[in-house]
Amino acid sequence: MKDSNSLEDLEKGLGYRFADTNVLLTALTHSSWANEHGGTHNERLEFLGDAVLELAVSSRLFALHPEAREGELTRMRSALVNESTLADVARALRLDERLRLARGEENQGGRQRDALLSDAMEAVLGGVYLDGGFQEALKVVDRLYAPLWPTAPGRIKRKDFKTRLQEVTQRISRGLPVYMQEDASGPEHARIFSVRVELPDGRVFRAAGAGLKRAEQEAARTALAALGEEPEEEAPNHMR
């Protein structure tokens, strides 16, 4: 984060102007920075923002889906407030560029880590609540989540395996997986494709499927499992 213009751009993205910009600065301050430079870090605001986000999302889902049962509402909320989704929202705001991190955390790829970004996003929402109250925080959540609200219970926009693997490899090694078709067999109307995916660290995973896209998705799923990452339950229908 370089100057006040950066804060103003962030406020425009949030759709909220802070009465006290020091609250926003605190929300953007990681504990590593505070340890090196002094001052307050964002962990208390993160605690507050976690509760604010859960209430805001619960309130909006409750209003949007009067027909949904408790279990459906819970599943939708979980998908919207999880670490990965929050990190994506933070990146869309370019929050990663505005965080105050110590050099060591910076060198270890802190700006790319989902956990750090999601915590900072919660801290910013906690800051909005502290500065302007719950209704202002609800407006910000509405604005940030506009493309993400499910249109019907259960219709959460899930990430396919290839997208998830790309995010994981970028986070771990700042590289991208590479896919290559190795073989295709069977009649034209029922071709089976064999593919490999090579990760930036050199590891290779193979899979086969009825269609090139399906095979690539299966290879990505296998790679995610090997990396210890929990993939989504299944790829979206259009990828099958």
Side-chain angles (χ1 to χ4, degrees):
M1 190 184 61
K2 297 183 178 71
D3 51 37
S4 60
N5 290 332
S6 181
L7 288 183
E8 290 175 6
D9 288 343
L10 179 55
E11 287 176 323
K12 287 178 183 177
L14 291 168
Y16 177 77
R17 189 170 185 85
F18 280 78
D20 182 359
T21 55
N22 286 324
V23 175
L24 180 54
L25 275 174
T26 299
L28 297 171
T29 303
H30 188 254
S31 57
S32 64
W33 172 281
N35 289 338
E36 279 194 2
H37 301 274
T40 307
H41 55 71
N42 64 9
E43 289 179 4
R44 282 173 53 84
L45 283 177
E46 174 200 337
F47 166 80
L48 185 61
D50 175 65
V52 170
L53 176 65
E54 186 156 319
L55 180 56
V57 169
S58 298
S59 175
R60 189 56 66 221
L61 289 174
F62 189 86
L64 286 172
H65 302 290
E67 77 289 3
R69 297 180 178 180
E70 179 189 0
E72 292 172 321
L73 290 169
T74 299
R75 285 191 292 274
M76 287 189 286
R77 183 182 63 195
S78 295
L80 291 169
V81 303
N82 67 27
E83 182 179 284
S84 178
T85 301
L86 262 176
D88 285 346
V89 172
R91 291 187 181 97
L93 272 174
R94 295 171 61 194
L95 207 63
D96 53 321
E97 300 175 16
R98 298 176 169 100
L99 294 177
R100 298 205 290 185
L101 303 176
R103 184 174 299 176
E105 186 68 39
E106 178 97 47
N107 292 340
Q108 292 173 17
R111 290 187 193 280
Q112 287 75 44
R113 292 209 336 260
D114 280 7
L116 194 151
L117 287 171
S118 64
D119 289 349
M121 190 68 248
E122 287 178 339
V124 169
L125 292 173
V128 173
Y129 170 80
L130 197 64
D131 189 75
F134 180 70
Q135 288 304 315
E136 292 298 330
L138 182 59
K139 290 177 186 177
V140 170
V141 170
D142 272 337
R143 180 185 180 94
L144 298 180
Y145 275 80
L148 302 176
W149 298 123
T151 56
R155 292 187 182 176
I156 297 297
K157 298 178 181 179
R158 297 182 175 182
K159 296 178 183 179
D160 61 83
F161 300 133
K162 287 182 65 177
T163 299
R164 182 71 181 129
L165 180 61
Q166 177 175 313
E167 291 177 347
V168 170
T169 56
Q170 284 181 313
R171 186 182 75 226
I172 293 174
S173 60
R174 301 188 184 182
L176 296 174
V178 177
Y179 297 85
M180 182 178 296
Q181 180 182 330
E182 293 190 320
D183 191 25
S185 60
E188 287 297 325
H189 66 280
R191 301 283 276 173
I192 299 296
F193 291 85
S194 298
V195 302
R196 57 178 279 171
V197 58
E198 182 173 348
L199 305 187
D201 64 9
R203 281 185 283 179
V204 173
F205 300 91
R206 291 179 170 82
L212 185 58
K213 287 184 178 180
R214 184 64 181 269
E216 289 177 342
Q217 291 289 339
E218 182 62 21
R221 186 194 66 78
T222 303
L224 283 168
L227 290 170
E229 298 284 337
E230 180 149 351
E232 303 288 352
E233 293 178 7
E234 59 182 12
N237 289 333
H238 73 275
M239 288 295 186
R240 297 180 183 177

